[in-house]
Amino acid sequence: MKLVFSKSELSKGVNIVSKAIPTRTSMPILECIMIDSTEGQIKFTANDMELGIETIVEGDILEKGKIAIDAKIFSDIVRKLPDNDITIQTDDNYNALITCENSKFNISGKSGDDFSFLPVIEKQKSIRLSQFALRELVNQTIFCTAPNDNNKMMAGELFEVIDSELKVVALDGHRIAIRKKKLEGRADDVKVVVPGKTLNEISKILSTDADDMMNIYFSNNHILFEFDQTIVVSRLIEGEYFKISQMLSSDYETRITANKKEMLGSIDRATLLIKESDKKADYS
Amino acid sequence: MKLVFSKSELSKGVNIVSKAIPTRTSMPILECIMIDSTEGQIKFTANDMELGIETIVEGDILEKGKIAIDAKIFSDIVRKLPDNDITIQTDDNYNALITCENSKFNISGKSGDDFSFLPVIEKQKSIRLSQFALRELVNQTIFCTAPNDNNKMMAGELFEVIDSELKVVALDGHRIAIRKKKLEGRADDVKVVVPGKTLNEISKILSTDADDMMNIYFSNNHILFEFDQTIVVSRLIEGEYFKISQMLSSDYETRITANKKEMLGSIDRATLLIKESDKKADYS
């Protein structure tokens, strides 16, 4: 295999798929990025079995082939290389030679025969919204998720579509965040629970441009995000989400309107005098 | 006591003396900033017994007095207050009321009777240089110091003045840094070892302007830095510094000239493939 990339395109591709590299795993192959140019385009894939990302990277294919390379070493190397054309060349023993200007790196890769590619998802239902909108929905709710061994649901967010309105809900037992968004065009009714980790990672690689659209597909066990040249597939959390409507009271006695900036400042200053020991007590 | 400060002046003062607040101590009074306005100017002092800093802060004295306030809480409060006039008022029981716009903080202070003020230093010898020059001297040598229980000298830097030339030396057993600087005007001959911690902290509060001068005074056991409205006093490390001249060979066989940026880039990239375990071996 012999591929030539611009530094910026290669960085972008590595950065996107790295979001699916697990920090700790007992399976070394999961720490690898699969580079596959056998089908006429260069595809980067990473998959930690829960979350899988696949992206097409711009570059010239001088010789087709594929190889799995350790993601950490590879991304470190790419980051440190000068801003110029980067060539990746592999031999039959899966040794990769990465060259850029006067720099040469020899690293050993893997055949990737045991690499687990993204599952094929039956696109039963779908919705369409802007990448910016999804990023906002996630950012405004994700802080209410909490990994909880007793209740897996708290680590995820409810995605519910009824009558072309998407409702995103997160709760951690202390607080709840609900965010709604009217969808344009036809949207299927959906009710699934998406892992918070998936949403966290995807919000980092979504475009910030309100005009860039994306499709989200749902199957029984998976959610698939499709945007730009990238596909993200994640398992869903199985089970019934909390009954939100029963939790919320509708007759509040007191209602205040405050300036957001002043309120934030006041909370910030008052928090200074909370002792660390008191803070801990809050969560017990 | 009742004092009024602008936020920026107060921040600056707190920031300067905080450099002498120890991170851990068994003596609570050392964690305090002493605010003293009894002599017609507002003086902030902090002293961890090794390093002491005193600075004059601009502000209005509506009522004279003094108080010792916990440095961490006080600096947190000052940082979070709005950018406006800040008033500090104390009562006879050493309770301090800090007000700014709509914010009020009540914190309890101490009389400071057990506070240890800066020692009076006999200004036997002195040198004069720009604050920028000292900052540069320190920044280019400080990485060669290393706290070492077996040899206290390694935690300090040699300051040696001979014939109006200041030589600063640091070494940690693996490497040595020597930096020289011609002094203008009259300079006394000096040979002392200054703790690295002192130099580290002082380099953070020195002006970056090459025109701002400072005086450095030496006594048998102390070094005193005097600049702007601030005095920094530090103990010296006692003992004889290493004999540098015997360590350096003068007949090198190979000499290379390299582009600094390219060399840095090469080292940076080559370092990527050093394993963590190898790195540790380097220091053993």
Side-chain angles (χ1 to χ4, degrees):
Chain A
M1 186 180 79
K2 186 168 183 180
L3 311 173
V4 182
F5 303 88
S6 73
K7 152 116 177 183
S8 60
E9 280 299 322
L10 185 56
S11 289
K12 204 177 91 186
V14 170
N15 183 40
I16 290 174
V17 294
S18 290
K19 300 286 181 279
I21 301 291
T23 41
R24 266 177 231 171
T25 172
S26 52
M27 292 169 65
I29 192 69
L30 298 187
E31 293 172 344
C32 290
I33 294 174
M34 186 71 192
I35 302 176
D36 184 350
S37 61
T38 51
E39 284 165 18
Q41 52 185 6
I42 308 171
K43 199 162 69 181
F44 282 19
T45 312
N47 186 1
D48 75 358
M49 312 300 277
E50 284 286 318
L51 174 67
I53 303 180
E54 197 179 277
T55 191
I56 305 296
V57 181
E58 290 293 322
D60 292 330
I61 306 176
L62 305 186
E63 202 186 298
K64 289 183 178 182
K66 57 182 181 173
I67 189 172
I69 297 184
D70 183 275
K72 179 154 185 343
I73 292 175
F74 188 46
S75 71
D76 280 349
I77 290 175
V78 171
R79 201 174 56 242
K80 299 268 184 179
L81 283 175
D83 196 359
N84 209 330
D85 279 359
I86 297 171
T87 306
I88 302 177
Q89 196 169 0
T90 58
D91 65 13
D92 293 342
N93 298 320
Y94 299 103
N95 293 311
L97 172 67
I98 304 172
T99 48
C100 180
E101 291 183 7
N102 291 324
S103 300
K104 289 183 187 180
F105 284 90
N106 271 299
I107 57 176
S108 55
K110 294 190 178 80
S111 71
D113 289 340
D114 50 350
F115 190 84
S116 59
F117 286 89
L118 267 54
V120 178
I121 306 301
E122 219 180 309
K123 297 177 176 175
Q124 299 165 336
K125 295 175 174 183
S126 77
I127 61 173
R128 186 172 171 79
L129 74 170
S130 74
Q131 297 185 38
F132 176 79
L134 180 65
R135 180 199 267 266
E136 220 187 25
L137 284 163
V138 171
N139 287 347
Q140 293 179 348
T141 50
I142 196 82
F143 61 93
C144 281
T145 58
N148 183 323
D149 287 338
N150 296 323
N151 198 324
K152 286 182 300 174
M153 287 297 156
M154 288 189 184
E157 298 202 354
L158 177 72
F159 272 54
E160 188 174 20
V161 183
I162 299 176
D163 295 338
S164 289
E165 189 184 58
L166 171 63
K167 186 163 84 171
V168 174
V169 181
L171 65 82
D172 65 2
H174 297 279
R175 52 194 179 168
I176 178 168
I178 305 176
R179 178 77 162 75
K180 293 174 184 172
K181 167 87 188 163
K182 202 74 197 161
L183 300 173
E184 284 163 35
R186 204 190 64 81
D188 292 307
D189 282 6
V190 172
K191 190 174 182 183
V192 298
V193 183
V194 188
K197 184 178 171 299
T198 296
L199 296 171
N200 220 344
E201 298 299 348
I202 202 172
S203 74
K204 291 177 198 159
I205 53 178
L206 287 173
S207 154
T208 49
D209 191 332
D211 291 335
D212 292 341
M213 301 299 286
M214 68 184 301
N215 294 314
I216 306 180
Y217 298 94
F218 304 88
S219 75
N220 287 338
N221 300 314
H222 288 92
I223 184 169
L224 185 156
F225 303 87
E226 192 183 81
F227 55 97
D228 304 336
Q229 296 276 47
T230 302
I231 289 172
V232 179
V233 175
S234 165
R235 278 182 202 271
L236 295 171
I237 298 178
E238 285 174 52
E240 188 73 20
Y241 200 69
F242 308 97
K243 300 220 184 312
I244 305 304
S245 53
Q246 297 173 4
M247 292 179 186
L248 300 173
S249 159
S250 53
D251 53 337
Y252 297 103
E253 279 179 18
T254 313
R255 178 191 176 115
I256 58 166
T257 306
N259 176 296
K260 179 178 145 187
K261 195 167 160 246
E262 283 177 18
M263 179 123 176
L264 262 181
S266 305
I267 294 173
D268 209 19
R269 286 188 287 271
T271 312
L272 281 180
L273 298 187
I274 299 177
K275 284 188 197 150
E276 275 307 313
S277 52
D278 297 345
K279 279 191 199 159
K280 275 175 203 142
D282 277 358
Y283 298 108
S284 70
Chain B
M1 186 181 78
K2 187 168 181 180
L3 310 172
V4 182
F5 302 88
S6 74
K7 152 115 178 184
S8 59
E9 281 298 321
L10 186 55
S11 289
K12 204 177 90 184
V14 171
N15 184 40
I16 289 174
V17 293
S18 290
K19 300 286 181 280
I21 300 290
T23 41
R24 267 177 231 169
T25 172
S26 52
M27 294 170 66
I29 192 69
L30 298 187
E31 292 172 345
C32 290
I33 294 174
M34 187 72 192
I35 302 177
D36 185 350
S37 61
T38 51
E39 285 167 18
Q41 54 183 5
I42 309 171
K43 199 162 70 181
F44 283 18
T45 312
N47 186 359
D48 75 356
M49 313 298 277
E50 283 287 318
L51 175 67
I53 303 180
E54 197 179 275
T55 190
I56 305 297
V57 182
E58 289 293 321
D60 293 330
I61 305 176
L62 306 186
E63 202 186 298
K64 290 182 178 182
K66 56 180 182 174
I67 189 172
I69 296 184
D70 183 276
K72 179 157 184 343
I73 292 176
F74 187 47
S75 72
D76 281 350
I77 290 174
V78 172
R79 200 176 54 243
K80 297 271 184 178
L81 284 175
D83 196 358
N84 210 329
D85 277 359
I86 297 172
T87 306
I88 303 178
Q89 198 169 1
T90 58
D91 66 13
D92 293 342
N93 299 318
Y94 300 104
N95 292 312
L97 172 67
I98 303 172
T99 49
C100 179
E101 289 183 10
N102 292 323
S103 299
K104 289 182 186 178
F105 285 90
N106 272 298
I107 57 175
S108 55
K110 293 190 178 82
S111 71
D113 289 339
D114 50 350
F115 189 83
S116 58
F117 287 89
L118 266 53
V120 178
I121 304 300
E122 218 181 310
K123 295 177 177 175
Q124 300 167 333
K125 295 176 176 181
S126 77
I127 61 173
R128 183 170 173 80
L129 74 170
S130 73
Q131 296 186 36
F132 176 79
L134 180 65
R135 182 199 267 268
E136 220 187 27
L137 284 165
V138 171
N139 287 347
Q140 293 178 348
T141 50
I142 196 81
F143 61 92
C144 279
T145 59
N148 184 323
D149 286 338
N150 295 323
N151 198 324
K152 288 182 299 175
M153 289 296 157
M154 288 188 183
E157 297 201 353
L158 176 72
F159 272 54
E160 187 174 20
V161 182
I162 299 177
D163 295 339
S164 289
E165 189 184 59
L166 171 63
K167 186 163 86 171
V168 174
V169 180
L171 65 82
D172 66 1
H174 295 281
R175 50 194 180 169
I176 179 167
I178 304 175
R179 177 79 162 75
K180 293 175 184 169
K181 166 87 189 161
K182 201 76 196 158
L183 299 175
E184 285 163 33
R186 205 189 63 82
D188 292 308
D189 282 6
V190 172
K191 190 173 181 183
V192 298
V193 183
V194 188
K197 183 176 171 299
T198 297
L199 296 170
N200 219 345
E201 299 300 348
I202 203 171
S203 74
K204 291 177 197 158
I205 54 179
L206 287 173
S207 154
T208 49
D209 191 332
D211 290 335
D212 292 341
M213 300 300 285
M214 68 185 299
N215 293 315
I216 307 181
Y217 299 93
F218 304 88
S219 75
N220 287 339
N221 300 312
H222 289 92
I223 183 168
L224 186 157
F225 304 87
E226 192 182 81
F227 54 97
D228 303 336
Q229 296 276 46
T230 303
I231 289 173
V232 179
V233 176
S234 166
R235 277 183 203 271
L236 295 171
I237 298 178
E238 286 173 50
E240 188 73 20
Y241 200 70
F242 309 96
K243 301 220 182 316
I244 305 303
S245 53
Q246 298 173 5
M247 294 180 184
L248 300 172
S249 160
S250 54
D251 54 335
Y252 297 103
E253 278 181 16
T254 313
R255 179 193 177 113
I256 58 166
T257 305
N259 176 296
K260 179 178 146 186
K261 193 164 163 253
E262 281 177 19
M263 180 122 175
L264 261 181
S266 304
I267 294 172
D268 209 21
R269 286 189 288 270
T271 312
L272 282 179
L273 298 186
I274 298 177
K275 283 189 198 152
E276 276 307 314
S277 51
D278 297 345
K279 279 190 199 161
K280 275 174 205 145
D282 277 357
Y283 298 109
S284 67

